[in-house]
């Protein structure tokens, strides 16, 4: 059957119309896309196109120094011979520079693979090591080249095209008089792509070549220390050849940070903490039959009237120079592995533990605030019992009826057990009243516990005040796990199953034993050394709770702009002047005739009144934590040693030796003014020269003064 001519014509017409519609649609789409690219987003893409032909070379700024209170460098810059490779020059060679890198490897004593990895560019698929900066910038291969290696490269330049060996400033942590100061200073590492994007629109954007502070002062004051890098921009063609120079930015060196740290006192504090831990490991723990582990510790030396930190040590520690030039995988594993005990932690601000009896100053203030008479009579019995549970006084000793001041002196647990229990009952016990006063918990918050002190160091932790609110929140977070574990009861009656069952059923309640343990700084209470140093400094200065600070002043490179960092306060102790005087006298009694007296025998109490409080905190599954909190009119020193034993036993001698160094006191109590490191806090700044140089005062290792001969003796 044949088709009619008209039918064939209509089919052709339909096809032509469809083809015309398709062509028109394609043209319309193309036109729309051209409008989008050239008109709507034209300027954006034009800028990107222009930037593709402008490459920048970064000359990093010299990072500002970190100095102690006397101008002695704690962190500065050292000139090293840095060997770098120009990737642009290497790629112009037929073999992409493989032969040159091979010869360079032999000179530097490195493997060819190691060097090739360092000059390759980073991307999402390329693992470290690789270069994250501009491909037009010299890529550093090593900053530890010897003079001989540098001379070989420079004298045989024809064999090493694209390779340079130049002196360059790199970060250095000199540890003056062996003052390591690692956790306070922190360390540097290269900026990441994520950080670059995040800071893109900020007042202090990052460049790919930047090294930034990762912890400590290096991080807290990074924007001042980093300075501004010089940026030279080159116009290049599609082949990467330089065809001109665009607008460039001048660089500016970083500012210097003067701290309140005294390198001499810092060295003493580190040494004494380390020695105290070693001595503790020689002592037998009567509870376990083994020696104390003394696995970590911290000490803080603070100006009592300002909150400025004179020394801060944390143990175990590390060498911050390990991070300079990039840390090796072996060193990183050594600093972060489970067996390392985490030396990167600053335990002065990040170490949390139950405070034991040094917490009793809080309980004393809470008792007075709750209406108890400071000079009232309170039974110090050998034990205190409730509901079938007996809570013992330390070593089961009783002292008869005593006032609160004497309770602090002899550190009587049972006095505070009773007061904590009575207040718990007044507030409704297991069924709290709506208007419960919770004086013991409220006062702790007013003392600044349970929150950060505001020290100018990153990553401070807040500790914990285990009040009713915390107790309920903790139960909500853990009840499901507790109840699941409790299903094994009564077939399993081990301690953990029993504890889980109790938590499942009543974990939201604040029990009597919670308040009893809390009253002596035990149970779920957690504090940091810096928090307790802040509290004891306030007891010394009349009640002001200062924000601890390490930074003292920021000085511009030319020395003309000096930004002083003034002490600031976050509140006052919730005690009356009368109560404060009574507590002050009691703490002096601790050093004279109380639990710390044996550590301060011979101390010149009439000339430099000493105040102290000892603490021995029990931790389930571990040995006791040693605490020793002290103050004079000038300084506060708090030391703690985890699993170290008693407060005065483990930490006492070390704290005494730090005071000896500060005031120049020998073991017989004689004061040697010429040997005293810092008999008064340093108020001013070191001398700043007209060219911006900060003059460092002479520094010598401290030598403990020898006792003066008695009148009947003659010098040997």
């Amino acid at each position: 059957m044949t088709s009619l001519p008209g039918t064939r014509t209509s089919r052709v017409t339909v096809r032509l119309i469809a083809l015309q519609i398709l062509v028109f649609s394609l043209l319309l789409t193309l036109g729309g896309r051209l409008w989008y690219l050239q008109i709507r987003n034209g300027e954006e893409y034009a800028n990107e196109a222009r930037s593709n032909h402008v490459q920048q070379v970064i000359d990093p700024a010299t990072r500002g120094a970190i100095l102690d209170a006397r101008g002695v460098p704690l962190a500065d810059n050292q000139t090293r011979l840095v060997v770098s490779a120009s990737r642009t020059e290497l790629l112009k060679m037929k073999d992409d520079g493989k032969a040159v890198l091979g010869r360079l490897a032999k000179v530097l004593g490195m493997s060819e693979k190691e060097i090739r990895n360092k000059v390759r560019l980073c991307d999402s698929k390329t693992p470290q090591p690789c270069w994250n900066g501009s491909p037009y910038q010299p890529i550093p291969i090593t900053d530890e080249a010897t003079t001989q290696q540098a001379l070989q490269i420079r004298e045989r330049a024809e064999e090493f095209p694209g390779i340079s060996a130049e002196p360059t400033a790199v970060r250095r942590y000199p540890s003056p008089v062996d003052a390591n100061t690692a956790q306070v200073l922190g360390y540097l590492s290269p900026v990441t792509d994520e950080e670059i994007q995040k800071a893109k629109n900020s007042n202090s954007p990052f460049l790919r070549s930047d090294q930034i502070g990762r912890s400590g002062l290096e991080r807290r004051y990074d924007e001042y220390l980093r300075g501004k890098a010089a940026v030279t921009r080159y116009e290049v063609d599609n082949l990467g050849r330089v065809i001109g120079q665009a607008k460039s930015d001048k660089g500016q060196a970083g500012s210097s940070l003067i701290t309140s740290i005294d390198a001499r006192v810092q060295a003493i504090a580190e040494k004494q903490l380390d020695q105290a831990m070693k001595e503790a490991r020689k002592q037998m723990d009567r509870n376990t039959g083994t020696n104390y582990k003394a696995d970590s510790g911290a000490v803080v030396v603070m100006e009592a009237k300002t909150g400025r930190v004179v020394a801060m040590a944390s143990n175990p520690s590390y060498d911050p120079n390990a991070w300079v030039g990039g840390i090796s995988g072996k060193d990183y594993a050594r600093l972060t592995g489970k067996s390392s005990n985490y030396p990167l932690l600053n335990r002065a601000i990040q170490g949390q533990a139950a405070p034991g009896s040094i917490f009793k100053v809080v309980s004393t203030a809470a008792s007075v605030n709750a209406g108890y008479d400071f000079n009232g009579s309170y039974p110090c019995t050998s034990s205190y019992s409730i509901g079938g549970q007996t809570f013992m006084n330390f070593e089961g000793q009783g002292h008869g009826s005593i006032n609160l001041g004497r309770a602090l002196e002899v550190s009587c647990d049972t006095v505070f057990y009773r007061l904590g229990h009575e207040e718990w009952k007044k507030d409704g016990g297991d069924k709290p009243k709506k208007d419960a006063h919770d004086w013991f918990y409220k006062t702790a918050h007013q003392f600044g516990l349970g929150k950060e002190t505001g020290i100018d160091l990153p990553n401070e932790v807040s500790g914990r005040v285990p009040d009713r609110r915390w107790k309920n929140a903790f139960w909500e977070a853990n009840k499901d796990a507790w109840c699941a574990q409790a299903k094994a009861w009564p077939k399993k009656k081990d301690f953990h199953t029993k504890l889980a069952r109790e938590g499942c059923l009543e974990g939201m309640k604040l029990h009597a034993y919670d308040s009893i343990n809390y009253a002596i700084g035990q149970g779920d209470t957690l504090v940091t050394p810096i928090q307790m140093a802040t509290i004891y400094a306030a007891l010394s200065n009349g009640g002001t709770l200062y924000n601890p600070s390490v930074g003292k002043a920021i000085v511009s490179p030319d020395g003309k702009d000096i930004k002083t960092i003034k002490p600031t306060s976050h509140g006052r102790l919730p005690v009356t002047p009368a109560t404060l005087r009574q507590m002050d006298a009691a703490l002096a009694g601790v050093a004279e005739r109380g639990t710390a007296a044996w550590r301060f025998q011979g101390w010149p109490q009439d000339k430099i009144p000493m105040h102290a409080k000892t603490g021995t905190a029990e931790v389930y599954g571990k040995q006791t934590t040693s605490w020793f909190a002290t103050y004079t009119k000038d300084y506060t020193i708090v030391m703690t040693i985890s699993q170290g034993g008693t407060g005065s036993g483990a930490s006492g001698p070390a704290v005494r030796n730090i005071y000896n160094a500060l005031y120049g006191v020998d073991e017989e109590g004689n004061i040697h003014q010429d040997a005293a490191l810092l008999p008064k806090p340093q108020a001013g700044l070191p001398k700043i020269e007209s060219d911006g140089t900060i003059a460092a005062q002479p520094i010598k290792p401290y030598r403990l003064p020898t006792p003066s001969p008695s009148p009947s003796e003659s010098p040997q």
Side-chain angles (χ1 to χ4, degrees):
M1 185 176 179
T2 59
S3 301
L4 297 174
T7 304
R8 288 198 302 270
T9 302
S10 62
R11 287 179 179 174
V12 171
T13 303
V14 169
R15 289 173 182 172
L16 287 173
I17 292 172
L19 184 61
Q20 288 174 348
I21 292 172
L22 178 62
V23 171
F24 181 75
S25 299
L26 290 173
L27 289 173
L28 186 62
T29 301
L30 180 60
R33 183 62 178 165
L34 287 173
W35 174 85
Y36 178 83
L37 294 173
Q38 295 184 2
I39 299 176
R40 185 182 178 190
N41 283 13
E43 185 175 353
E44 177 184 343
Y45 286 106
N47 289 335
E48 288 190 15
R50 283 194 294 270
S51 66
N52 286 339
H53 293 282
V54 176
Q55 298 295 337
Q56 56 187 25
V57 174
I58 311 298
D59 183 12
T62 301
R63 193 171 180 86
I66 301 176
L67 311 168
D68 86 341
R70 303 168 74 248
V72 177
L74 300 173
D76 58 8
N77 304 291
Q78 180 183 38
T79 299
R80 293 189 187 178
L81 289 170
V82 178
V83 175
S84 303
S86 171
R87 181 178 170 83
T88 304
E89 294 298 321
L90 294 176
L91 292 178
K92 290 179 181 179
M93 303 173 193
K94 292 182 179 180
D95 63 350
D96 293 334
K98 290 182 180 179
V100 172
L101 295 180
R103 291 192 290 271
L104 182 62
K106 293 179 181 179
V107 171
L108 297 178
M110 300 170 67
S111 68
E112 291 185 43
K113 181 180 179 182
E114 186 179 2
I115 291 181
R116 285 199 300 271
N117 286 348
K118 287 198 171 189
V119 300
R120 65 185 177 179
L121 300 181
C122 292
D123 57 31
S124 59
K125 298 180 180 179
T126 304
Q128 292 283 349
C130 57
W131 176 242
N132 197 37
S134 167
Y136 293 90
Q137 185 170 337
I139 302 173
I141 294 173
T142 180
D143 62 3
E144 297 180 344
T146 65
T147 303
Q148 185 178 1
Q149 290 170 335
L151 285 174
Q152 287 186 60
I153 294 168
R154 300 190 72 167
E155 289 176 355
R156 295 156 51 192
E158 69 282 356
E159 297 181 32
F160 298 100
I163 305 299
S164 62
E166 301 291 343
T168 306
V170 296
R171 202 59 163 169
R172 179 182 73 128
Y173 301 95
S175 298
V177 291
D178 295 328
N180 181 257
T181 331
Q183 292 90 350
V184 175
L185 294 172
Y187 57 90
L188 307 175
S189 69
V191 67
T192 65
D193 287 340
E194 182 180 352
E195 288 167 332
I196 291 173
Q197 289 300 319
K198 190 174 181 179
K200 202 169 184 179
N201 298 321
S202 69
N203 294 327
S204 184
F206 293 131
L207 299 172
R208 285 188 177 274
S209 61
D210 280 338
Q211 294 266 327
I212 63 172
R214 292 299 178 193
S215 67
L217 296 172
E218 292 279 28
R219 176 176 170 181
R220 172 61 180 81
Y221 292 97
D222 182 76
E223 62 178 305
Y224 301 103
L225 295 166
R226 186 165 17 106
K228 183 180 179 182
V231 181
T232 304
R233 296 180 178 85
Y234 294 99
E235 295 180 357
V236 298
D237 60 18
N238 291 333
L239 298 177
R241 294 173 298 196
V242 177
I243 58 176
Q245 186 169 335
K247 183 180 178 181
S248 299
D249 299 331
K250 292 183 178 180
Q252 182 178 346
S255 298
S256 292
L257 174 68
I258 298 174
T259 71
S260 55
I261 298 289
D262 187 300
R264 304 167 303 171
V265 182
Q266 178 71 26
I268 294 289
E270 291 175 2
K271 181 179 179 181
Q272 289 300 321
L273 174 62
D274 185 63
Q275 187 63 33
M277 292 171 63
K278 289 177 179 176
E279 288 298 320
R281 294 180 194 128
K282 298 176 184 178
Q283 306 303 315
M284 175 72 72
D285 179 3
R286 290 178 296 177
N287 295 322
T288 64
T290 60
N291 285 8
Y292 287 106
K293 296 179 181 179
D295 52 358
S296 62
V299 60
V300 176
V301 183
M302 180 188 291
E303 294 178 8
K305 292 182 175 67
T306 65
R308 288 191 168 120
V309 175
V310 178
M312 177 181 284
S314 179
N315 193 310
S317 190
Y318 66 97
D319 180 5
N321 288 297
W323 295 87
V324 176
I327 192 167
S328 67
K330 182 179 179 181
D331 284 341
Y332 186 78
R334 182 173 55 83
L335 294 178
T336 58
K338 290 183 179 179
S339 61
S340 69
N341 202 14
Y342 310 107
L344 297 180
L345 285 177
N346 183 348
R347 285 172 165 83
I349 66 170
Q350 295 172 302
Q352 302 181 105
S357 291
I358 67 168
F359 182 80
K360 287 174 182 173
V361 294
V362 178
S363 295
T364 300
S367 299
V368 175
N369 290 344
Y372 296 92
D373 185 359
F374 188 94
N375 291 316
S377 182
Y378 305 96
C380 178
T381 54
S382 61
S383 64
Y384 184 75
S385 299
I386 58 161
Q389 283 185 290
T390 300
F391 298 85
M392 301 299 297
N393 199 14
F394 185 69
E395 296 185 342
Q397 186 177 9
H399 294 275
S401 292
I402 58 178
N403 63 17
L404 291 180
R406 184 61 179 162
L408 283 176
E409 286 183 18
V410 298
S411 202
C412 182
D413 291 338
T414 52
V415 166
F416 295 100
Y417 287 152
R418 183 172 280 102
L419 292 173
H421 187 209
E422 286 179 3
E423 281 306 299
W424 174 81
K425 289 189 293 185
K426 287 180 181 179
D427 287 326
D430 283 334
K431 299 177 180 179
K433 300 175 182 177
K434 290 184 179 180
D435 58 346
H437 292 293
D438 284 333
W439 284 111
F440 276 66
Y441 299 97
K442 178 182 178 181
T443 302
H445 285 295
Q446 292 172 329
F447 265 69
L449 297 178
K451 60 183 178 183
E452 299 171 7
T453 63
I455 190 171
D456 55 344
L457 290 172
N459 302 320
E460 181 189 5
V461 298
S462 61
R464 181 168 69 208
V465 176
D467 53 17
R468 298 180 195 275
R469 179 181 296 180
W470 174 84
K471 188 82 172 177
N472 190 68
F474 190 66
W475 177 75
E476 287 287 350
N478 292 280
K479 63 180 180 180
D480 291 341
W482 286 338
C483 293
Q485 186 177 351
K487 290 179 180 178
W489 185 274
K491 291 183 179 180
K492 287 185 67 176
K493 292 189 177 182
D494 60 287
F495 177 78
H496 292 288
T497 304
K498 182 180 179 181
L499 201 64
R501 183 171 181 268
E502 183 180 317
C504 174
L505 298 174
E506 297 184 326
M508 79 297 289
K509 294 181 179 180
L510 189 67
H511 295 284
Y513 60 79
D514 289 321
S515 291
I516 286 173
N517 276 321
Y518 169 77
I520 64 163
Q522 295 281 179
D524 293 311
T525 310
L526 291 177
V527 302
T528 64
I530 195 66
Q531 287 176 327
M532 299 314 295
T534 301
I535 287 172
Y536 277 80
L539 291 169
S540 171
N541 67 37
T544 301
L545 290 162
Y546 281 104
N547 296 356
S549 61
V550 182
K552 199 171 182 180
I554 298 167
V555 182
S556 63
D558 59 8
K560 295 179 181 179
D561 184 12
I562 303 173
K563 180 182 179 182
T564 303
I565 303 168
K566 297 181 179 180
T568 57
S569 164
H570 59 266
R572 289 188 58 81
L573 295 180
V575 293
T576 64
T579 300
L580 191 59
R581 287 192 297 270
Q582 291 170 320
M583 291 174 65
D584 182 78
L587 294 172
V590 174
E592 292 179 81
R593 55 187 175 271
T595 56
W598 68 301
R599 288 308 188 191
F600 285 106
Q601 289 180 2
W603 180 260
Q605 190 75 358
D606 57 332
K607 297 181 178 66
I608 310 170
M610 178 65 64
H611 306 73
K613 188 72 195 78
T614 58
T616 306
E618 296 178 358
V619 182
Y620 176 75
K622 291 186 177 183
Q623 296 168 312
T624 54
T625 298
S626 168
W627 284 94
F628 204 59
T630 61
Y631 66 84
T632 63
K633 62 183 177 62
D634 305 300
Y635 301 105
T636 287
I637 300 180
V638 172
M639 180 177 285
T640 183
I641 300 176
S642 170
Q643 304 196 88
T646 63
S648 58
S651 301
V655 171
R656 168 70 186 265
N657 286 337
I658 297 172
Y659 277 116
N660 287 346
L662 285 167
Y663 290 108
V665 178
D666 64 30
E667 290 303 318
E668 292 184 358
N670 302 302
I671 300 174
H672 302 257
Q673 293 290 351
D674 57 339
L677 290 183
L678 209 59
K680 292 183 179 180
Q682 182 161 324
L685 299 176
K687 183 180 179 182
I688 301 172
E689 306 288 358
S690 57
D691 62 352
T693 303
I694 300 174
Q697 297 180 34
I699 183 168
K700 296 179 181 179
Y702 170 74
R703 297 187 184 280
L704 200 68
T706 55
S708 301
S710 64
S712 61
E713 296 175 333
S714 59
Q716 298 296 316

